[in-house]
Amino acid sequence: MCGIVGYVGDKQAQDVVINGLRRLEYRGYDSAGIALVAEGRLEHDKRAGRLANLEKAIAQHPLPQATTGIGHTRWATHGAPNDLNAHPHLGSSQRVALVHNGIIENFAGIRDELERAHHVLASETDTEVAAHLLELQVESGVDLTTAMQRVCQRLQGAFTLVAVDAQDPSRVVAARRNSPLVVGLGEGENFLGSDVAAFIEHTREALELGQDQVVTITREGVEVTTFDGAPAEGTRYHVDWDLSAAEKDGHDWFMRKEIFEQPRAVADSLLGRHARNGLLQLDEMRLSDQELRDIDKIIIIACGTSFYAGMVAKYAIEHWTRVPVEVELASEFRYRDPILDYSTLVVAISQSGETADTLQAIRHARLQRSKVLAICNTNGSTIPRESDAVIYTHAGPEIGVASTKGFLTQLVACYLLALYLAQVKGTRYGDEISEIMHQLEAVPDQIASVLSRSDEVYELARSHVGTRSVLFLGRHAGYPVALEGALKLKELAYIHAEGFAAGELKHGPIALVEEGLPVLCVVPPRGRDQLHEKMISGIQEVRARGARTICLAEEGDTSIEPYADHLIRLPKVPVLLQPLVAVVPLQLFACELATAMGHDVDQPRNLAKSVTVE
Ligand code: F6R
């Protein structure tokens, strides 16, 4: 949510900043702006809309050459997405420029105070007050680093701030509280970014910053302090992916590329999980076996697609470990005063590792003495850092705003967690765990086989241009898949779409069904109790009322044929693993339909990736 870039070195800062913003645009695309320090002056430009608008403006009115600069791509919170509210914001005498991600909660009081002192604030944002405060500080004679430390002590809320001072081209200064910021370490140059994508084309060496820290980058080095000015240290790490992972690689959208990366992402997330003795191992798991044995309840917290991964996980964890699992939206969790104690394991699922709702929920859980385990795709992000344990997924960077490979790899991590718990608690025999691991290891090829038939799904999707409403049905582990299919369609195609548990239809939602309504049905594999038969009953109910059914069913399931207007075949997998293959056609369907409708699939309206505000 908002992308931030900072640079100091010997390259043209404009190029470094604009390229960085391009890679961060998925975090927000309501407006974009840049500020450069050139010959004792600040030069800046900012434009509403996509980064392309800013680039066009700069092409028409070139900025001077400079080697120090900052940039911002915005997801609006305070104030409409127009030129005036775009970042950077400048102080009254245009000496300091500042970009911000997050929300400054006490900005209204500071604004009143500044206005009483005759400052003119041009925008409706919460950010501009910080620019004025910083400028007052540097004008009082302190350097930008000290100024930033002092200003941060006054601010409440969540923020990443990055600033430059026209009279000090040698440094860019940044600060973070509850909002992401990483440092890129170069040779004779250094970088700041909301995430490593901002500078991955220049360096893969990064520095992770702690909470409430100020960082100063110069050509020569990086200095970290606390808000009180005490020396502090970041944690250095090597980024295990490179520029090619942040490119579209011949696809029209990052999302489509990421859908097709799923066989690799799932395989990578399964890699290295067997110890020599044949037992399952989770290297990053920082909880002891005894701590795991003591767990008598699990609460999974997450948002959006990650929440649906949690819903699937509940079926697997309860079945394999007999530990009760609750799944809760992170944004609701702490407001209901959940019952937690040291024997409750809270599992926080987050692709980005920065989602504010999830972060606040884990903080609440830890205050109640619960252990928190994060399932996360982003090394060095806040959620794993603030958790007791972590299972990293190995999806590589997910840039499309709609999560795809993030979801599949979260499912893999949840299955691994469930099996590991079963191993430690002894609720499943070793050979049963090995068999499920073999089934999981077969999944990448099965996903590849679904992808090899994508043209069929694309054709179906294109035939739905003009459709106003779509329903998705599932049962058991297929129910969250139906919810996820509906979410993908809503966010990308802007179509009314809802997912239902098939058995729940007759309790109300069936009233929505009318002649010709497309209903996508995730049909469970045969042979699992009565799930399959019950699903067919649900399908019959909607067909009887005129719905057109598109059924996703396993190879060889002929019993579904009379009930399907269109049939998409899935590989044969056990019911608990079916979400891993069943969601793929739904992702392809949403991606292609949105493309055919002329939407920007990677940057859907009103959305941003990595939601760092509550
Ligand atoms: C939907 C989507 C979102 C995210 C949600 C949580 O396609 O991507 O619903 O899943 O915002 O994000 P993370 O997993 O980063 O916490």
Side-chain angles (χ1 to χ4, degrees), residues 45-277:
D45 203 341
K46 50 187 195 171
R47 300 289 156 152
R50 303 283 159 111
L51 178 63
N53 294 354
L54 176 68
E55 288 182 279
K56 202 164 135 206
I58 296 176
Q60 281 164 0
H61 303 284
L63 294 170
Q65 303 215 329
T67 54
T68 303
I70 59 176
H72 188 265
T73 171
R74 177 170 187 240
W75 187 82
T77 56
H78 290 64
N82 54 30
D83 287 356
L84 218 53
N85 290 329
H87 299 213
H89 290 281
L90 275 61
S92 303
S93 51
Q94 311 233 318
R95 178 171 164 187
V96 165
L98 172 95
V99 294
H100 165 219
N101 174 23
I103 294 178
I104 298 171
E105 285 166 2
N106 58 337
F107 85 99
I110 302 175
R111 188 177 177 120
D112 282 352
E113 177 191 312
L114 288 165
E115 283 175 344
R116 278 198 302 275
H118 309 295
H119 285 251
V120 178
L121 289 116
S123 76
E124 303 156 88
T125 65
D126 52 338
T127 306
E128 199 179 356
V129 297
H132 282 249
L133 290 180
L134 262 183
E135 193 170 84
L136 283 173
Q137 286 293 333
V138 292
E139 284 182 338
S140 76
V142 300
D143 64 23
L144 189 61
T145 306
T146 312
M148 183 66 90
Q149 290 158 354
R150 290 185 184 167
V151 169
C152 287
Q153 292 184 39
R154 284 208 58 189
L155 303 180
Q156 290 163 12
F159 48 84
T160 301
L161 302 171
V162 181
V164 283
D165 174 358
Q167 294 183 16
D168 186 358
S170 69
R171 71 176 79 196
V172 179
V173 179
R176 76 169 286 261
R177 165 181 288 166
N178 289 336
S179 185
L181 176 68
V182 277
V183 182
L185 303 168
E187 295 284 328
E189 57 180 357
N190 286 299
F191 308 80
L192 294 162
S194 300
D195 66 48
V196 294
F199 48 74
I200 194 71
E201 65 190 278
H202 305 288
T203 178
R204 290 170 69 184
E205 298 308 312
L207 193 74
E208 176 186 314
L209 295 171
Q211 202 55 270
D212 285 8
Q213 291 186 339
V214 169
V215 59
T216 304
I217 60 164
T218 59
R219 284 181 188 207
E220 294 77 32
V222 174
E223 186 195 77
V224 184
T225 70
T226 62
F227 284 179
D228 313 330
E233 274 185 24
T235 315
R236 199 181 165 126
Y237 65 102
H238 179 74
V239 182
D240 59 7
W241 50 273
D242 61 13
L243 181 60
S244 64
E247 304 274 352
K248 283 191 205 151
D249 199 18
H251 290 275
D252 52 351
W253 304 115
F254 277 111
M255 181 190 180
R256 210 185 301 269
K257 175 194 173 214
E258 288 162 6
I259 293 173
F260 279 85
E261 278 174 352
Q262 290 181 121
R264 197 245 345 117
V266 167
D268 284 357
S269 298
L270 284 166
L271 221 63
R273 307 298 190 180
H274 293 285
R276 282 222 184 121
N277 56 8

Side-chain angles (χ1 to χ4, degrees), residues 331-529:
S331 53
E332 291 293 321
F333 176 72
R334 67 185 167 134
Y335 301 104
R336 74 167 167 98
D337 196 10
I339 301 167
L340 299 161
D341 62 27
Y342 63 90
S343 56
T344 310
L345 177 68
V346 170
V347 177
I349 307 178
S350 175
Q351 187 284 129
S352 62
E354 300 291 352
T355 300
D357 290 318
T358 311
L359 184 59
Q360 294 304 341
I362 67 173
R363 286 181 180 161
H364 181 79
R366 294 192 76 195
L367 280 177
Q368 314 288 311
R369 297 192 304 142
S370 288
K371 293 271 181 252
V372 175
L373 180 142
I375 289 179
C376 185
N377 192 43
T378 315
N379 258 300
S381 58
T382 311
I383 289 174
R385 265 207 327 258
E386 293 204 13
S387 299
D388 299 288
V390 59
I391 300 178
Y392 279 113
T393 52
H394 297 282
E398 192 179 63
I399 294 171
V401 164
S403 184
T404 52
K405 59 178 181 171
F407 177 69
L408 250 67
T409 53
Q410 286 166 349
L411 292 180
V412 170
C414 290
Y415 293 130
L416 290 171
L417 171 65
L419 293 173
Y420 191 73
L421 275 174
Q423 176 176 288
V424 171
K425 282 177 169 282
T427 51
R428 291 278 141 177
Y429 292 119
D431 58 345
E432 290 175 291
I433 294 172
S434 298
E435 192 190 328
I436 301 167
M437 281 302 289
H438 284 132
Q439 289 164 345
L440 275 170
E441 280 155 2
V443 166
D445 284 345
Q446 289 161 329
I447 298 172
S449 89
V450 175
L451 290 171
S452 70
R453 296 194 301 269
S454 52
D455 282 347
E456 183 196 326
V457 182
Y458 290 160
E459 202 183 316
L460 181 73
R462 288 192 292 267
S463 72
H464 283 78
V465 172
T467 299
R468 309 250 337 236
S469 181
V470 180
L471 299 189
F472 291 74
L473 300 183
R475 283 193 92 105
H476 190 262
Y479 167 42
V481 175
L483 293 171
E484 170 62 3
L487 177 61
K488 286 282 133 347
L489 211 53
K490 279 186 264 220
E491 66 180 328
L492 299 175
Y494 320 146
I495 289 177
H496 167 245
E498 287 198 62
F500 293 109
E504 192 58 19
L505 267 189
K506 53 190 178 295
H507 299 290
I510 200 161
L512 288 170
V513 177
E514 54 189 21
E515 197 60 38
L517 178 81
V519 181
L520 279 109
C521 311
V522 182
V523 182
R526 291 155 302 163
R528 179 65 190 270
D529 306 327

Side-chain angles (χ1 to χ4, degrees), residues 283-329:
D283 281 342
E284 322 94 303
M285 168 71 74
R286 300 187 289 246
L287 295 176
S288 69
D289 285 0
Q290 191 51 50
E291 283 171 314
L292 292 175
R293 272 187 217 109
D294 287 343
I295 290 162
D296 60 13
K297 181 167 86 172
I298 293 177
I299 303 183
I300 301 179
I301 47 176
C303 304
T305 290
S306 303
F307 174 73
Y308 298 144
M311 285 178 73
V312 174
K314 175 180 164 76
Y315 292 93
I317 298 174
E318 288 189 339
H319 184 65
W320 291 333
T321 71
R322 310 310 298 154
V323 176
V325 179
E326 294 170 20
V327 190
E328 176 127 17
L329 289 169

